[in-house]
Amino acid sequence: MGSALSLAGIGCADRSGGTPCQSCPRAGEQARLAEIPGEQARLAEIRALRYQINPHFLFNCLNSLATLVNRRDVSEAEGMIGEFSAFLRYGLAADSVAEVELADEVDMQLRYLTLARRRFAHLMTVTIDVDDDVRHARLPALILQPLVENAIKHGVAMTSASVLLSIRAFRSDANMLVVRIEDDAWSGSPSDEPATLIGLGIGLCNVTERLLARFGNAGRLVARTLQRGGFRSEFTVPLVSS
């Protein structure tokens, strides 16, 4: 089997190793948030975690746009600016503690993937499979963003071979929502050793902490390398519909 890491509100990791847990930006907020009572503290934490991801997707989108400009591909650059603007309206204008329907969240990730495909068009194929009975499930806005970004940064961008990136969402037998982001990029033989919490990254750390803030211990993220090659990030949360 590939190595697996369960992130049930206690830690985080990405496929590249990353930085130690104490360097996670949330760690510096712990003492301050501890002084804010109850619900205020929870909302403050959600806002802090939500704003944390903005610089990451902004940087990646601008980097892709710069690539097109350097190629002097004016038509593609203009199209990307329009898509970038639509994504920014969703990503920056929304209430920082707002929840969205899964269908809308997936749609916005498709916009982000459209941006990414302008840079990796020959390397990336995307498939989406969302069951009808979970399309209206409520989730924190942009909760999928770090998982999709992780697949692109450490999967698509690290190989010259074609990569399949898939987003799958369904209802589990326990009536929970399961969302899975998976790629098949080969990054060396997966280890048979259990993954640890020694090497941590901001992306999956952010998702773990946001799930914890919203769903408590009922939210669970599991990340693993796959035996056939590739990486899977999968979270399970209570199914809350509109």
Side-chain angles (χ1 to χ4, degrees):
M1 294 180 61
S3 60
L5 176 60
S6 175
L7 312 172
I10 58 171
C12 46
D14 67 13
R15 71 199 301 167
S16 65
T19 55
C21 188
Q22 53 266 35
S23 69
C24 177
R26 178 178 181 268
E29 294 291 301
Q30 295 290 351
R32 184 182 65 81
L33 292 176
E35 300 174 357
I36 305 176
E39 183 67 6
Q40 273 189 292
R42 189 182 75 87
L43 293 177
E45 181 174 29
I46 290 173
R47 289 190 181 96
L49 290 164
R50 167 67 174 75
Y51 289 139
Q52 181 189 344
I53 68 173
N54 291 343
H56 295 279
F57 75 74
L58 283 172
F59 173 81
N60 286 318
C61 288
L62 289 172
N63 192 43
S64 297
L65 182 58
T67 298
L68 295 177
V69 172
N70 288 336
R71 292 177 187 165
R72 300 182 183 279
D73 193 334
V74 176
S75 178
E76 282 289 296
E78 288 177 343
M80 186 173 183
I81 289 171
E83 292 160 0
F84 186 37
S85 176
F87 190 81
L88 284 180
R89 281 196 296 272
Y90 178 88
L92 299 180
D95 186 338
S96 59
V97 297
E99 294 185 349
V100 298
E101 291 190 351
L102 174 61
D104 293 331
E105 174 72 1
V106 170
D107 181 65
M108 291 314 301
Q109 295 315 306
L110 280 174
R111 289 183 181 273
Y112 178 76
L113 287 166
T114 298
L115 293 171
R117 289 181 69 180
R118 290 182 181 274
R119 185 180 178 192
F120 302 110
H122 62 297
L123 295 177
M124 182 170 59
T125 300
V126 177
T127 65
I128 307 292
D129 185 7
V130 178
D131 288 356
D132 289 340
D133 61 348
V134 298
R135 290 180 59 82
H136 300 294
R138 305 291 295 183
L139 289 170
L142 289 176
I143 195 70
L144 300 184
Q145 176 63 34
L147 306 181
V148 171
E149 186 176 312
N150 190 65
I152 294 174
K153 181 178 179 180
H154 302 296
V156 179
M158 299 301 290
T159 179
S160 58
S162 178
V163 174
L164 174 64
L165 191 156
S166 64
I167 300 176
R168 172 85 174 98
F170 57 95
R171 183 195 299 261
S172 73
D173 293 339
N175 202 36
M176 302 282 278
L177 171 65
V178 181
V179 180
R180 178 183 301 158
I181 312 294
E182 183 175 307
D183 68 77
D184 64 355
W186 182 253
S187 56
S189 299
S191 170
D192 289 327
E193 295 297 321
T196 70
L197 291 174
I198 294 175
L200 304 175
I202 291 174
L204 298 190
C205 179
N206 181 282
V207 173
T208 300
E209 299 296 351
R210 292 183 75 198
L211 292 178
L212 176 63
R214 170 60 181 86
F215 300 104
N217 290 330
R220 177 182 177 87
L221 172 66
V222 175
R224 67 163 62 239
T225 56
L226 303 175
Q227 184 65 38
R228 65 178 182 273
F231 192 80
R232 173 185 296 169
S233 299
E234 177 178 297
F235 66 79
T236 304
V237 297
L239 185 55
V240 180
S241 298
S242 300

